[in-house]
Amino acid sequence: MFRLFNRVPKGLAPVSEMFKKHVQNEGLAIVKAAEEASHDRKKEKDSSQEHSFVKRALSLHDKYLQYVSGCVNNNAQFHKALKEAFENFCNKGVHGNSSAELLATFCDNLLKKGGSEKLSDEAVESTLEKVVKLLAYISDKDLFAEFYRKRLARRLLFDKSANDEHERSILAKLKQQCGAQFTSKMEGMVTDIALARDQQSAFEEWLRERPEKPGLDLQVNVLTTGFWPTYKQADLALPYEMVKCVEIFKEYYETKTKHRKLAWIYSL
C-alpha cells in the first residue's frame, strides 16, 4: 500500500491519517480496558492493571514502530502520525493516576529487589529503553521526574535497588532523551549513596582507633540536601545511647569538613 500510494501526489496523507486513527483507537481501547479492570478491583488495592496498561502500551509501540521503520521506510509523515496517536492516549491516565505516575511506578517495580518483574539483565535494559521512548509522548515529564525521584530515594535509602548498573543505565537514557538538567538531581542521589558507603567504611576505620565506642551498630548516610526529596524533620528526644552515637559521628564528621552542617532525619 505504501509503495502504491507513494506514487500518487499527496497520496500518503490520507493513509497516514487512517494509520494515526487506527493506532489511537487501539491505544484508547487499552486505556478503557485498564480503567474498567481498575474500577472492578480498586477495593483490593490492586495496581496490577496499571502495570498491565504500561506493558500493553509498550508492546503497542513496539508493534507500530516496526511498521513505521519497516513497511513505510521510516517515512516522516508516518512517524508524525505515530507520535500524535500516542500523545493522544498516553496523556489520558488510568483511574485517576496520570501516565507519568504509572510509568514511574512501572520503573520502580522493574528496578527494585523482589519486584514483580523477573527479567534477565538484557530484558530489563531493553524494557528501560522502551519506557524512555514512551516517556517522549508524555506531556508532563516533570511530574514523572518527581514521582521517579521519590521512588528512587526509597530504593537507595532502604537498599531496595536490585542493580546499580540498571539505575545508572536508565538515568543515562533519560539524560539523552530529556537533557542533563532533568536527571542532575537523580544522578546526584546515586553518587551520594556511593560516597556514603565509602564514608561509612572510613568512619568504621576511625572508630577502631579511638577508645570510646558508640556501643551500637551505627550506619549513617550523609546526603546532599538539594538532590533529595524533602523529608520532615522531627525533633525527637533521643535516648542517651543514640545521643552518644550522634555526638561521636559529629566528632568524626568535623575531622573531615568544617563547612557543612549536619541535619538529622530521624524518620529515616
Side-chain angles (χ1 to χ4, degrees):
M1 248 181 105
F2 173 72
R3 286 200 294 271
L4 177 66
F5 280 86
N6 204 11
R7 293 159 184 260
V8 182
K10 296 187 182 165
L12 288 177
V15 185
S16 66
E17 187 58 31
M18 287 163 85
F19 172 72
K20 174 178 134 180
K21 282 189 178 143
H22 175 72
V23 176
Q24 195 168 296
N25 290 340
E26 284 210 14
L28 291 171
I30 293 175
V31 174
K32 189 164 183 265
E35 276 278 352
E36 284 166 1
S38 191
H39 188 72
D40 295 342
R41 304 180 73 162
K42 70 173 178 191
K43 296 181 185 76
E44 299 167 37
K45 298 274 185 221
D46 183 7
S47 64
S48 60
Q49 289 311 317
E50 283 85 338
H51 284 308
S52 108
F53 164 73
V54 175
K55 276 183 173 171
R56 290 175 70 186
L58 290 175
S59 64
L60 192 73
H61 189 247
D62 257 8
K63 176 182 168 181
Y64 288 113
L65 195 59
Q66 279 181 323
Y67 281 21
V68 173
S69 56
C71 308
V72 303
N73 210 9
N74 271 322
N75 179 278
Q77 251 173 303
F78 282 83
H79 267 297
K80 183 169 179 277
L82 185 70
K83 177 174 179 282
E84 286 171 2
F86 268 81
E87 280 172 351
N88 177 283
F89 79 85
C90 275
N91 288 298
K92 296 275 187 226
V94 176
H95 206 70
N97 297 317
S98 70
S99 303
E101 185 177 0
L102 296 180
L103 218 49
T105 308
F106 181 79
C107 290
D108 183 51
N109 210 34
L110 201 62
L111 293 165
K112 72 182 175 190
K113 286 177 188 166
S116 62
E117 306 294 320
K118 300 279 181 284
L119 300 173
S120 68
D121 283 355
E122 290 78 17
V124 171
E125 275 299 306
S126 110
T127 308
L128 292 176
E129 187 91 44
K130 291 171 187 175
V131 165
V132 174
K133 279 182 186 160
L134 202 59
L135 179 65
Y137 304 116
I138 289 176
S139 53
D140 203 345
K141 293 180 180 59
D142 288 345
L143 192 62
F144 168 84
E146 204 46 48
F147 283 121
Y148 187 86
R149 205 158 68 95
K150 281 182 178 156
R151 284 168 175 76
L152 173 64
R154 286 191 71 79
R155 289 199 300 277
L156 295 175
L157 292 175
F158 298 111
D159 195 24
K160 289 265 194 293
S161 190
N163 186 315
D164 290 351
E165 284 307 305
H166 292 325
E167 294 287 5
R168 290 184 184 281
S169 167
I170 187 170
L171 290 183
K173 291 174 175 44
L174 287 169
K175 189 176 187 173
Q176 205 173 359
Q177 176 81 45
C178 306
Q181 200 178 349
F182 188 79
T183 54
S184 63
K185 286 183 177 180
M186 301 174 207
E187 288 174 315
M189 287 159 71
V190 173
T191 306
D192 259 1
I193 288 291
L195 292 173
R197 283 177 198 149
D198 295 344
Q199 185 162 58
Q200 182 64 22
S201 308
F203 172 57
E204 284 163 12
E205 195 66 43
W206 178 82
L207 273 181
R208 279 188 208 105
E209 290 164 15
R210 59 171 277 137
E212 197 188 359
K213 304 282 186 257
L216 301 172
D217 278 345
L218 175 64
Q219 184 172 0
V220 182
N221 288 327
V222 181
L223 310 172
T224 314
T225 314
F227 294 151
W228 295 76
T230 46
Y231 298 104
K232 279 191 180 137
Q233 273 180 275
D235 275 338
L236 290 184
L238 292 181
Y240 163 74
E241 294 83 353
M242 290 178 81
V243 171
K244 186 178 164 190
C245 287
V246 166
E247 291 306 327
I248 287 176
F249 189 84
K250 273 186 186 165
E251 192 186 324
Y252 157 76
Y253 195 68
E254 279 165 10
T255 64
K256 295 287 164 197
T257 173
K258 291 275 186 284
H259 309 295
R260 289 181 165 197
K261 185 170 170 287
L262 289 175
W264 293 78
I265 313 280
Y266 299 124
S267 60
L268 296 171

